[in-house]
Amino acid sequence: MKLTIVGCTGSFPGPGSPASCYLLTATDGERTWKVVMDLGSGALGAIQRYTDLEDIDAIFLTHLHPDHCMDLCGLHVAIRWKPGGWGRGRIPVWGPAATADRMATAYGLPLDPGMHEEFDFTNWTEREPVTVGPFTITPFAVNHPIEEAYALRVEVVEPGRDGVPVSRVLTYSGDTDSCAGLEEAAKDADLFLCEAAFEEGRDDGINDVHLTGKRAGEAAAAAGARRLLLTHIPVWTSQTTVMAEARPVFPGDVAVAVAGVHYTI
């Protein structure tokens, strides 16, 4: 499984990165599948560096804050108005129950048909896995101030070089403060892609919104994750600081996500 960091700046796009968007690529032995976790502000342009839009097999939204979903509006335009027609059917989109209506409202469309002609919307059911190609994605409710927010546990089984299937797990936190659901989603993950928007000391009075580097590290350690990749870092938060917070509490490898970088899991 390959992870491409399309966008990783927290809350709104930064000068070097769009907001949250992550491209996952894996094979089932017959073809390569591509799925997207979140499509935040500014991500639609950047993702075209790594894939043709028509090659996206599915989109998984963690929650409906604009920095995680708003570029679905631009993708709607790309599908609906491409000269000569869109080369594939509707793109499956999994997200919170309000996703279809929220996107239609954001673009000023009537709710019926809204964007249903471009996207096949399905609502998350907590802890109920969905399968797309070699990907199995399970949503876990997490602690963020919006109607529904999820961490996503992504399990992939791919054919190994010796013919024996290989299983890997990536967990993406979405946006959250510390909670049991986050640790359960990240249990024994090979890679834990975890937000760290806040800093210890600076943001101590703000609860139930975001993690600090320390709290992300503690969640990764409690879950038994093997690698920790910190993400969703706003322009006013120091990458050096959140890494320094995480390292004393997490025994594994710690790094900060960088837009345009690929990781093999």
Side-chain angles (χ1 to χ4, degrees):
M1 172 167 49
K2 183 171 78 172
L3 164 67
T4 299
I5 309 297
V6 179
C8 55
T9 299
S11 302
F12 56 89
S17 171
S20 296
C21 183
Y22 308 93
L23 174 65
L24 294 177
T25 305
T27 180
D28 62 0
E30 297 182 1
R31 75 169 179 92
T32 298
W33 292 74
K34 296 180 180 181
V35 301
V36 176
M37 299 187 300
D38 285 343
L39 195 62
S41 313
L44 186 63
I47 200 172
Q48 293 173 77
R49 300 171 188 160
Y50 314 111
T51 183
D52 190 306
L53 297 179
E54 291 188 25
D55 290 339
I56 296 173
D57 290 296
I59 297 170
F60 304 102
L61 301 178
T62 59
H63 65 291
L64 297 180
H65 282 150
D67 60 318
H68 291 259
C69 68
M70 194 51 63
D71 270 24
L72 207 66
C73 290
L75 185 54
H76 150 79
V77 174
I79 296 170
R80 185 170 183 82
W81 298 106
K82 182 178 180 181
W86 185 251
R88 296 184 66 176
R90 295 185 299 164
I91 296 180
V93 175
W94 275 266
T99 301
D101 288 356
R102 188 76 59 84
M103 292 298 98
T105 299
Y107 202 76
L109 298 172
L111 300 185
D112 185 11
M115 297 183 183
H116 288 277
E117 295 176 348
E118 292 74 42
F119 302 115
D120 182 8
F121 292 102
T122 302
N123 300 337
W124 289 124
T125 298
E126 188 190 1
R127 304 191 184 216
E128 183 173 301
V130 300
T131 299
V132 176
F135 298 97
T136 298
I137 299 91
T138 305
F140 288 75
V142 291
N143 183 16
H144 194 58
I146 194 170
E147 295 91 341
E148 294 180 61
Y150 298 99
L152 302 181
R153 181 180 178 87
V154 182
E155 300 175 71
V156 169
V157 178
E158 296 182 277
R161 294 177 181 176
D162 57 0
V164 177
V166 176
S167 178
R168 293 288 184 266
V169 175
L170 175 148
T171 296
Y172 169 41
S173 66
D175 281 5
T176 182
D177 201 346
S178 302
C179 63
L182 178 65
E183 294 178 13
E184 292 177 53
K187 182 175 175 57
D188 298 327
D190 295 288
L191 179 65
F192 185 18
L193 179 64
C194 187
E195 71 117 290
F198 283 174
E199 294 180 12
E200 294 287 319
R202 186 193 68 185
D203 303 305
D204 290 354
I206 308 173
N207 299 315
D208 305 321
V209 181
H210 289 299
L211 296 162
T212 61
K214 179 184 178 182
R215 295 203 294 271
E218 289 171 342
R226 293 171 178 82
R227 298 163 63 193
L228 175 61
L229 186 59
L230 300 174
T231 192
H232 196 274
I233 301 173
V235 295
W236 48 64
T237 293
S238 166
Q239 297 181 1
T240 302
T241 296
V242 295
M243 284 185 64
E245 291 175 358
R247 282 179 169 149
V249 297
F250 177 67
D253 179 63
V254 180
V256 168
V258 176
V261 174
H262 308 278
Y263 298 85
T264 299
I265 303 156

